[in-house]
Amino acid sequence: MIISHTHKFIFIKSWKTAGTSIEAALSEYCSGEDIVTPLGDYDFNRSGNGEWVHKSLNAGDFKQHDYAQTIKDKLAPEIWQTYFKFSIARNPWDRAVSFFFWEKRRDPSLTPKKRFYHHLGVPYDDFRQIKKQFSKYIKGEWLNNDGFYVIDDALCVDFVIRYEHLSEDFQEACRRIGVPAKELPRLKAGIRKQQRHYSEYFDEESMRIVAARHQNDIKLFGYQFERP
């Protein structure tokens, strides 16, 4: 999350939408009293060359993934009202798969285990087991991204980058901020080893659950469940 008094913008970082890459790129334009929240997961937040490309500043009690309402409540009204505010949205079904794999990296219960007979030569269908774990995960508790760009069921930011048009929309955000559009670093990559289309992970029930939890994304941005 960034609050830049230098360039008068507020970047509200949503979950699993390439927000870290955008935050890292924009942090290079921040200085002085600007606020840039620090990152965790050090190993996942380096560039392809292994460089640490994110600059944190003056975070205080602000967090990486503070909701829009939380940020609004901590700022003077004139800052919230006059600064350019933007966030990022992503197809909710695609984001749910990405979220699952991000959680899976540190939650052993989400990784299917081979049974004894698989070690005796019975074929092991890894993807079939992953789909089962994913279905269980979707039925559990996990968060949508409403809080980052919706307050009282209405859009509360001036612009929403679409993950599906990341480069073009980032350039537009930079144009509105008044800074050159840097090339985005590729951070937190390589988590999902099998690059299958997100639709392959869903059954009818899990598809409906994601739709029900992302009604604002569907209404505001017209997202649909798509197949390749």
Side-chain angles (χ1 to χ4, degrees):
M1 191 275 294
I2 297 178
I3 301 169
S4 173
H5 302 295
T6 304
H7 298 286
K8 299 188 183 306
F9 74 85
I10 301 171
F11 170 59
I12 305 174
K13 181 181 173 184
S14 55
W15 291 105
K16 301 310 298 170
T17 55
T20 299
S21 296
I22 288 178
E23 185 181 46
L26 292 177
S27 74
E28 297 302 312
Y29 295 118
C30 294
S31 60
E33 299 302 314
D34 294 348
I35 295 168
V36 184
T37 54
L39 301 177
D41 297 301
Y42 180 80
D43 290 338
F44 292 99
N45 288 308
R46 303 189 202 183
S47 71
N49 297 325
E51 299 174 334
W52 185 250
V53 293
H54 178 276
K55 178 174 69 174
S56 59
L57 291 166
N58 311 314
D61 62 347
F62 287 98
K63 305 280 192 306
Q64 268 191 73
H65 294 288
D66 274 346
Y67 281 161
Q69 184 68 63
T70 300
I71 298 169
K72 181 181 180 182
D73 291 344
K74 292 179 180 179
L75 293 176
E78 60 270 19
I79 292 177
W80 179 262
Q81 291 165 7
T82 61
Y83 282 23
F84 173 65
K85 300 177 290 294
F86 68 107
S87 188
I88 321 173
R90 181 177 184 176
N91 179 294
W93 293 276
D94 186 28
R95 192 187 77 90
V97 173
S98 181
F99 215 140
F100 166 75
F101 278 95
W102 182 251
E103 293 296 304
K104 179 178 174 293
R105 87 195 196 284
R106 59 186 178 187
D107 184 351
S109 70
L110 296 178
T111 301
K113 302 293 189 297
K114 290 184 177 182
R115 302 294 181 88
F116 74 93
Y117 44 78
H118 293 126
H119 297 285
L120 299 176
V122 176
Y124 178 73
D125 188 338
D126 179 70
F127 182 60
R128 183 167 176 266
Q129 301 305 318
I130 288 289
K131 285 184 67 173
K132 286 182 179 180
Q133 294 298 114
F134 176 72
S135 182
K136 291 178 183 178
Y137 172 80
I138 291 299
K139 294 171 186 174
E141 295 183 4
W142 48 276
L143 299 173
N144 63 31
N145 272 342
D146 282 9
F148 300 107
Y149 39 76
V150 172
I151 295 177
D152 296 330
D153 291 325
L155 196 65
C156 65
V157 295
D158 304 301
F159 183 61
V160 177
I161 291 173
R162 299 284 289 272
Y163 178 86
E164 297 76 21
H165 308 289
L166 186 62
S167 179
E168 300 95 319
D169 286 358
F170 177 63
Q171 289 179 37
E172 173 62 16
C174 288
R175 185 190 69 78
R176 298 199 193 187
I177 292 167
V179 299
K182 290 178 174 287
E183 182 177 352
L184 289 172
R186 191 164 181 259
L187 304 179
K188 294 183 178 176
I191 304 299
R192 196 190 319 180
K193 302 303 181 185
Q194 295 183 337
Q195 293 301 314
R196 296 173 178 266
H197 190 266
Y198 70 80
S199 62
E200 297 184 52
Y201 292 87
F202 286 89
D203 55 28
E204 289 297 321
E205 183 180 9
S206 57
M207 184 174 66
R208 287 194 298 270
I209 290 172
V210 171
R213 295 189 189 179
H214 291 82
Q215 294 181 41
N216 277 318
D217 280 351
I218 293 169
K219 176 180 68 175
L220 292 169
F221 310 117
Y223 281 120
Q224 298 178 348
F225 185 83
E226 300 170 334
R227 300 184 186 277

